Amino acid sequence: MIKKILFIVLFIYVMCGCSQQQVENNPSKTNDITLENVEIIIREKGFELEKETDLPSENVFIQELNGVIPEVYNLEGNTLSIYVFPSAVERGKGIQRFEKKTATAEIEEHKAYGINNILVFYVSREEKIQNRLYEALQKLDIPD
């Protein structure tokens, strides 16, 4: 009886080890986007990004969302906030958090772009620039 139990335990141990090795040798491809990816694609579209440092801390587009603090830029005279979340699921939670924070507030007109693990806010009414920005960001969503 003890030999059977030891055999079963050993068998399970070996199988788990093989399964773990297979996962390590075959990692799933991730489509996580980095801040650098976003900056490059926006600049390739002809935009200039300037770091924005002179915004009031109560500005909802620069506040932390679920532990992520955005990088904030001046794009064509308007605020561009880029949040890079650890995953697309976390980005979804970040959007929900933003909506809860701003549900009763009157906020400036803006566009929100959510692609994979990034969330981008562009605070502007300029539809032409919004469309160009959208076209640029869409390139990040194309699988390699």
Side-chain angles (χ1 to χ4, degrees), residues 30 32 84-94 115-118:
T30 174
D32 288 347
V84 181
F85 290 92
S87 68
V89 171
E90 291 299 314
R91 175 193 43 93
K93 291 177 183 177
I115 299 172
N116 295 336
N117 62 307
I118 62 160

Side-chain angles (χ1 to χ4, degrees), residues 100-111:
K100 281 183 182 178
K101 279 179 144 179
T102 61
T104 59
E106 288 187 33
I107 56 175
E108 296 176 69
E109 187 163 330
H110 66 283
K111 276 288 198 189

Side-chain angles (χ1 to χ4, degrees), residues 59-73:
N59 183 321
V60 295
F61 299 105
I62 66 169
Q63 292 181 0
E64 178 182 316
L65 291 176
N66 293 352
V68 176
I69 298 171
E71 289 296 320
V72 183
Y73 301 91

